[in-house]
Amino acid sequence: MKTNVGKIDRALRVLLGLALLAFAFFSGHPYAWIGYIGIVPLVTAVVGVCPVYSLFGISSCPIKTGSRAMR
């Protein structure tokens, strides 16, 4: 699959994922299990591909310009 998650987007996904997992592990809240959803943004950040972005044709990667992009 083609990478569709840019650097800033990846960093935000890592922060969000870690925050959600921290909530899951360290919270005494009855719904702390919801924090395990943080695995999803972490995986998409590591892999660089977001299936939802692919579904809607979105990409946060910078547009390549110049002669190399034309080849």
Side-chain angles (χ1 to χ4, degrees), residues 22 43 45 51 61:
V43 169
C61 290

Side-chain angles (χ1 to χ4, degrees), residues 5-41:
V5 180
K7 289 180 183 179
I8 295 172
D9 198 357
R10 281 185 180 192
L12 292 174
R13 287 169 187 261
V14 168
L15 290 174
L16 177 66
L18 291 176
L20 286 169
L21 287 174
F23 175 72
F25 287 122
F26 301 117
S27 172
H29 198 275
Y31 292 107
W33 57 270
I34 293 174
Y36 290 112
I37 294 172
I39 293 170
V40 174

Side-chain angles (χ1 to χ4, degrees), residues 3 7-8 21 28 31 35 38 50 55 58 64:
T3 302
K7 289 180 183 179
I8 295 172
L21 287 174
Y31 292 107
C50 177
L55 187 67
I58 300 170
K64 295 181 181 178

Side-chain angles (χ1 to χ4, degrees), residues 35-63:
Y36 290 112
I37 294 172
I39 293 170
V40 174
L42 282 177
V43 169
T44 58
V46 170
V47 176
V49 176
C50 177
V52 176
Y53 277 12
S54 296
L55 187 67
F56 292 108
I58 300 170
S59 177
S60 62
C61 290
I63 298 173

